Amino acid sequence: MSKTTRATQALVRAGIPHTVHTYEYDPEAPRIGLQAAEAIGVSPGVVFKTLMATVDGKPVCVLVPSDREVSLKKLAAAFAGKSAAMMRPADAERLTGYHVGGISPLGQKRAVPTLVETAALAHPEVFVNGGQRGLQLRVKPEDLVRVLQARTEAVT
C-alpha cells in the first residue's frame, strides 16, 4: 500500500503536520469508520468519516465522528438548503476520484463545500481517511478545517 496519495500530498503542500496510519481494511465491516478506529486502537469519536451528500441537489462533503450519524435536516440547514440526501456511492467516487471506503476530504478531484462536525474541535487530533482503504491521517482539527476551507457546525 502506498502511503502517498492526493490527500497526503495536499497536507504536505499546505505544510500541515500529520502522521500516516495504516491498518487492515475489512471490506465486510458494517461500519468502515468503526472498523478503522478499532484497527488503529483509538476511540471511534476521533475517527471522522467522510460523507458525500447533496444539499438541494448540489454536492457537499461532511466529516462526522465514526460513531455518529449525520442529521440530514441539520446538514441542509447548515448549507442554507431545504433538503439533503446522501450521494450514491458511484456518484461520490466519480466526484472525488476515490473509492468508497477510501474517500478522503483532502485532495478530491473537485473541491466542494465542506463541513466538519464541531465535535472535532474538542480533540487535540483527529483521524480522517487518507485517500485509500486502510489508510488514516492524524491531524489537528484546526489544521484540517483550515486546509479544507471548511465550516464547522453540529450536524449529528
Side-chain angles (χ1 to χ4, degrees):
M1 167 187 313
S2 173
K3 291 186 182 182
T4 301
T5 64
R6 291 191 321 272
T8 61
Q9 291 169 343
L11 290 176
V12 169
R13 272 193 310 275
I16 305 284
H18 64 283
T19 56
V20 176
H21 302 263
T22 60
Y23 65 96
E24 190 66 38
Y25 174 79
D26 178 3
E28 302 300 316
R31 295 180 69 189
I32 295 166
L34 294 179
Q35 189 259 328
E38 182 179 337
I40 59 177
V42 298
S43 163
V46 298
V47 175
F48 279 66
K49 56 188 172 184
T50 305
L51 302 173
M52 300 304 295
T54 58
V55 173
D56 294 344
K58 296 183 177 103
V60 299
C61 178
V62 60
L63 282 73
V64 298
S66 62
D67 59 352
R68 295 192 194 170
E69 297 298 321
V70 69
S71 162
L72 294 176
K73 185 175 182 176
K74 289 180 181 179
L75 181 62
F79 285 101
K82 294 182 180 183
S83 67
M86 297 310 299
M87 197 176 284
R88 290 186 359 229
D91 294 338
E93 289 182 343
R94 194 169 26 263
L95 181 73
T96 65
Y98 293 121
H99 295 292
V100 169
I103 294 178
S104 178
L106 301 153
Q108 293 185 359
K109 277 181 21 181
R110 180 173 153 215
V112 299
T114 301
L115 184 144
V116 177
E117 166 67 39
T118 55
L121 301 176
H123 304 288
E125 295 177 314
V126 295
F127 291 81
V128 295
N129 195 289
Q132 62 184 237
R133 296 169 179 158
L135 188 71
Q136 291 284 316
L137 305 175
R138 184 173 65 185
V139 64
K140 290 180 180 177
E142 300 82 11
D143 288 341
L144 182 65
V145 169
R146 187 174 76 250
V147 74
L148 292 172
Q149 299 179 344
R151 57 194 313 163
T152 58
E153 198 160 329
V155 290
T156 57

